[in-house]
Amino acid sequence: MIRYFTAGESHGKALVGIVEGMPAGVEISAEYINHQLWRRQQGYGRGGRMQIESDEVQILSGIRFGKTIGSPVALLIQNRDWGNWMHKMAVEGTGTGVEKITVPRPGHADYAGAKKYGFDDIRNVIDRSSARETAMRVACCSMARKLLEDCGISIGSHVLSIGQVCINRKKIDRLVLAGSKKVSKIGEKADGSVVRMLDKSAEAKAIDVIRKSKRLGDTLGGIFEVLISGVPTGLGSYVQYDRKLDALLAQALISIQAVKGVEIGEGFANAERYGSDVHDEFLLKNKKIMRRTNRAGGIEGGMTNGETIIIHAAMKPIATLVKPLNAIDLKTKRIIKSRYERSDVCAVPAASVIGESVVAPVLANALLEKFGGDSLREILKRYRI
Ligand code: EPS
């Protein structure tokens, strides 16, 4: 099974990651991973940090002559901003003269994190809870993504809404259906939009609303859609709660910083409809069992049903605001205005790419569980595509 871990502070020297359990024989290059890192760095509404960073991975182990060898893969991404933080984030020394952060930002990990670990300096929390960590997650997950690609499974994503600006779903649904064989094409199309929206009129409105939010010193969230196509029927299981694929996918997505809601298929809208308007009827086309609709989002009973997997994730507005909210100084116990720390206005487009990434190990593990194999050749032999 594929597992991965990340380490690294946002303003520390580097991010590191270890990916364990990759089958042998999967072709991976730094260029492949870097392309995913580049996609994550795009998006209108990012802050000054993205001008500093230009993420590139160094592959330290586990790959020989361009292919995985079954050994753990170690990855490293340098933080260019480290040059500006060496003193504040030094590994050694006592921290004398470094200002302590004592005012937690409402909505961030700051307060609970400082209480949990007993810190008198919230910087320790800020730097690890930061979404900077997702750069390494994307790098690690690219390995599983490549394995899935080699098995004919494709992942894509796009943004459905930013603040109150929504794309025209009807237009996009047709596009999703038309491209449902290889949804990475939808993701590539979304790469062409600074807000990852496939609807030009919504794109312009979203850019406007982000601009307005910046002017107001405020932030914006939104909803993105992750699609997975080419999935065989019967991945996951109904027999135990922790083997249900929808539960595992939801966990992966909700672990992305600021993601607060996950929906499989038309989950919330289905709750308002009659059953007969929800469940996807069967049909037979050229002796192939198919569905008339895909409101279930490709998963029934915790298992893939052969249709494209459709997942929606809601990201709350980023908690670091220029416009101050009431906060408390943990040192003086006085209510004061929250402090501002450089951040983004909107990171929904980036989260959409991160969403594509984090589902990859979940799917790859479900595939490995069913078909097994220590090498790509072995997997492909068992899983005829
Ligand atoms: C983040 C705050 C900002 C973002 C960062 C996530 O960083 P900084 O505090 O250095 O300005 O830019 O995202 C990244 C660095 C990244 O690579 O995505 C936060 O608080 O979560």
Side-chain angles (χ1 to χ4, degrees):
M1 300 301 266
I2 299 169
R3 295 180 297 159
Y4 69 96
F5 284 100
T6 71
E9 276 75 42
S10 178
H11 305 100
K13 199 169 186 175
L15 301 172
V16 295
I18 293 185
V19 187
E20 225 277 312
M22 271 297 288
V26 179
E27 265 181 49
I28 299 275
S29 64
E31 196 188 347
Y32 178 85
I33 300 173
N34 287 340
H35 178 61
Q36 298 304 329
L37 293 177
W38 172 83
R39 295 178 71 228
R40 192 200 70 95
Q41 284 204 280
Q42 305 313 299
Y44 188 74
R46 301 303 301 272
R49 180 75 185 271
M50 286 306 99
Q51 312 304 317
I52 300 171
E53 305 297 342
S54 167
D55 293 333
E56 276 179 22
V57 75
Q58 286 175 48
I59 302 173
L60 305 179
S61 75
I63 294 181
R64 188 158 185 249
F65 306 132
K67 286 184 180 173
T68 54
I69 52 172
S71 312
V73 178
L75 304 172
L76 185 141
I77 299 170
Q78 237 132 27
N79 286 327
R80 290 195 177 181
D81 208 13
W82 161 244
N84 304 315
W85 288 77
M86 280 158 98
H87 182 54
K88 281 191 196 165
M89 291 300 294
V91 171
E92 285 163 358
T94 57
T96 314
V98 175
E99 186 204 356
K100 287 185 174 155
I101 311 291
T102 58
V103 183
R105 295 161 295 175
H108 225 285
D110 299 2
Y111 174 71
K115 281 277 176 201
K116 176 176 173 66
Y117 291 102
F119 296 140
D120 64 352
D121 183 358
I122 298 172
R123 170 64 53 206
N124 295 342
V125 182
I126 296 175
D127 254 73
R128 180 60 191 163
S129 60
S130 162
R132 173 76 188 140
E133 181 261 346
T134 59
M136 183 45 77
R137 263 205 259 184
V138 168
C140 289
C141 294
S142 300
M143 315 280 304
R145 184 189 187 109
K146 183 60 177 33
L147 168 65
L148 292 174
E149 267 175 30
D150 292 347
C151 294
I153 296 171
S154 160
I155 307 176
S157 77
H158 62 112
V159 169
L160 299 179
S161 66
I162 287 178
Q164 291 187 3
V165 179
C166 301
I167 62 163
N168 180 341
R169 284 305 304 268
K170 284 210 177 97
K171 254 200 283 184
I172 308 309
D173 284 348
R174 277 202 301 276
L175 185 78
V176 169
L177 283 178
S180 62
K181 283 230 155 56
K182 211 167 175 209
V183 290
S184 57
K185 292 226 164 73
I186 290 167
E188 282 161 26
K189 217 167 172 182
D191 288 348
S193 159
V194 288
V195 285
R196 296 192 67 73
M197 281 183 167
L198 298 170
D199 171 339
K200 282 286 161 206
S201 118
E203 177 190 71
K205 287 184 196 145
I207 292 170
D208 265 0
V209 85
I210 294 170
R211 205 175 280 144
K212 184 174 169 208
S213 169
K214 187 174 181 181
R215 230 180 15 249
L216 296 172
D218 226 318
T219 56
L220 282 171
I223 300 175
F224 60 89
E225 177 169 84
V226 177
L227 301 158
I228 312 164
S229 65
V231 192
T233 305
L235 299 188
S237 180
Y238 60 90
V239 304
Q240 204 64 263
Y241 70 93
D242 59 352
R243 293 178 62 193
K244 287 174 185 272
L245 194 68
D246 40 7
L248 296 167
L249 288 167
Q251 184 192 34
L253 280 153
I254 213 149
S255 75
I256 299 170
Q257 288 82 341
V259 168
K260 291 291 141 198
V262 177
E263 169 186 59
I264 311 285
E266 297 179 27
F268 284 95
N270 283 346
E272 296 173 358
R273 297 170 176 151
Y274 284 115
S276 55
D277 291 331
V278 169
H279 301 298
D280 305 306
E281 289 184 297
F282 287 94
L283 61 95
L284 210 55
K285 208 172 175 183
N286 302 328
K287 291 192 183 158
K288 209 173 161 227
I289 297 173
M290 294 178 76
R291 302 300 181 102
R292 243 179 254 290
T293 49
N294 184 13
R295 299 190 192 102
I299 299 185
E300 288 171 312
M303 296 164 295
T304 53
N305 64 8
E307 299 296 310
T308 294
I309 297 176
I310 304 172
I311 318 168
H312 301 146
M315 184 187 200
K316 70 179 180 181
I318 284 164
T320 313
L321 305 175
V322 177
K323 183 174 163 179
L325 295 175
N326 284 343
I328 189 162
D329 188 329
L330 297 178
K331 200 168 151 198
T332 62
K333 304 286 185 296
R334 276 214 194 102
I335 296 286
I336 59 163
K337 292 293 176 193
S338 56
R339 53 179 290 283
Y340 177 63
E341 167 112 8
R342 180 190 60 189
S343 193
D344 307 314
V345 176
C346 175
V348 179
S352 163
V353 175
I354 301 160
E356 284 182 29
S357 305
V358 298
V359 297
V362 177
L363 250 290
N365 280 337
L367 194 81
L368 288 171
E369 188 185 29
K370 186 155 175 68
F371 299 100
D374 292 311
S375 68
L376 180 63
R377 199 184 313 150
E378 208 172 4
I379 298 165
L380 288 177
K381 220 185 282 170
R382 293 171 184 178
Y383 168 55
R384 299 233 166 263
I385 50 173

